[in-house]
Amino acid sequence: SRNVLYIAREPEILARELELKPQEVLKRLESGKRKLLEARKKRKAPFADPTLYTNWNGMWIQAYFAAWRAFHEPFLKEFALKTLDRFMETGFDPAKGMRHWIPPSPSPLPASTRGGSAFGGQGREEKGEGGETGFLEDQVEILAAVVEAFEITGEKRYLDFSKTLSALLFEKYRAEAGGFYDTSRSVQEGHLKFRQKRLQDSPAVSPNATAGIALLKLYHLTQNEEYLKAVEEILQSFFEEAKALNYFAAGYINVLDFYLKGAVKAVVAGEKEKEPFRELHEMALFTYRPYLITSPLTEELQSPLNDPSLNLLYQESKAINRPVAMVCSGKSCKPLTDSPAEFWKQILE
């Protein structure tokens, strides 16, 4: 408190103590603030890194999705999707995966007002394509974000991108003994040639744990056993280390808990342009339950989601000409419904 300015007394209290009118106290405070600002402008500002880092933006996107689910403010979802699209377009190398950072926008406008925004300043001043090769955290934070973007939008392009990024993750970062290295196998420079496989949550959740959650979601969405196998390898290879790390392996414990308990899948089938579909879809998205996966099912998604039993749900919605929903856990499913209230009840049961 001796180094940081703070409000010790409200203006009304100061006015009584100094025997002044409240307006006079406010006037003096404003005068003092102006003088302090003028003095501060004469000093050299501390360095602030404005770079648009991929991993941190991936975390921010997921945070904005969570905020949208809680507060239902459209701009939260819109900004998160706009940021994700920007990184998919400018931060992805088809041969290597996600870059570590993306180049700045040529626009002088702040990020919050220009199209294709991202969390951060205008980025590095260097020209070029951005960080040439990303790290494991760059891949998995965007993977987690893009899987959730598919749940939220039902757009096939997000599902396709998650499959592409997962394939590169397996090719470039996967360890033979299970889990993922923090650098790509194509990086052989300096100390980066010594690849590490980390589990500890410090300072953020371990990239291997983030990968585990995202891949489990993808498995339950697509029924692709390769994703489940990769998660099982993570759990097996880090088992002893997780016991030693205790609560610094909380991310690993979340993966293990998700794996053992399984997902609760809320499926909404029909034409997503129709209002009844949106009502059912958002009921699932706005309802909190651990390990709940929302699976939008439209005509174009029947083959990519690869679940014949759920495709019957879409055929039913088509036959009755209205969206329907169903909640499944394991191999059992509750009766289908077209009522948002009943759907909410089934999710929480």
Side-chain angles (χ1 to χ4, degrees), residues 32 74 83 149 196 199 201 276 289 305 309 330:
T83 300
Q196 295 184 343
L199 180 67
D201 297 334
R289 175 169 179 167
L305 292 181
S309 62

Side-chain angles (χ1 to χ4, degrees), residues 61-74 76-77 144-145 147-153 217 281-289 292-295:
I61 292 165
Q62 295 168 67
Y64 264 52
F65 282 152
W68 172 72
R69 289 173 184 255
F71 302 116
H72 313 166
E73 292 285 355
L76 294 168
K77 180 181 73 172
V147 171
E148 189 169 3
F150 169 71
E151 293 183 83
I152 288 171
T153 67
K217 278 190 170 186
H281 190 200
E282 289 190 349
M283 179 59 73
L285 293 170
F286 295 161
T287 302
Y288 175 75
R289 175 169 179 167
L292 175 66
I293 296 175
T294 304
S295 181

Side-chain angles (χ1 to χ4, degrees), residues 205-223:
V205 175
S206 159
N208 271 283
T210 301
I213 295 292
L215 291 171
L216 270 175
K217 278 190 170 186
L218 267 180
Y219 163 69
H220 287 292
L221 284 168
T222 65
Q223 314 304 307

Side-chain angles (χ1 to χ4, degrees), residues 121-137:
Q122 293 186 38
R124 292 179 184 262
E125 296 179 357
E126 295 95 328
K127 307 297 181 183
E129 295 299 320
E132 285 303 312
T133 302
F135 299 101
L136 175 61
E137 57 221 64

Side-chain angles (χ1 to χ4, degrees), residues 238-268:
F238 287 113
F239 178 68
E240 293 299 331
E241 184 179 349
K243 289 193 294 184
L245 285 172
N246 205 310
Y247 53 78
F248 286 106
Y252 172 93
I253 298 301
N254 284 337
V255 180
L256 179 61
D257 193 46
F258 189 1
Y259 174 79
L260 294 175
K261 291 181 178 176
V264 175
K265 188 187 294 186
V267 187
V268 183

Side-chain angles (χ1 to χ4, degrees), residues 35 45 53 113 211 226 242 255 279 285-286:
K35 292 175 181 177
Y53 290 108
T113 59
E226 183 66 21
V255 180
E279 292 176 352
L285 293 170
F286 295 161

Side-chain angles (χ1 to χ4, degrees), residues 47-107:
F47 173 75
D49 185 358
T51 307
L52 302 180
Y53 290 108
T54 303
N55 58 324
W56 289 348
N57 272 270
M59 294 180 191
W60 272 111
I61 292 165
Q62 295 168 67
Y64 264 52
F65 282 152
W68 172 72
R69 289 173 184 255
F71 302 116
H72 313 166
E73 292 285 355
F75 81 91
L76 294 168
K77 180 181 73 172
E78 291 164 5
F79 190 80
L81 290 172
K82 186 162 58 173
T83 300
L84 179 58
D85 288 346
R86 180 174 178 182
F87 274 85
M88 288 169 59
E89 291 165 7
T90 64
F92 178 69
D93 183 336
K96 298 179 181 179
M98 299 305 303
R99 299 182 173 95
H100 185 47
W101 52 272
I102 62 174
S105 167
S107 170

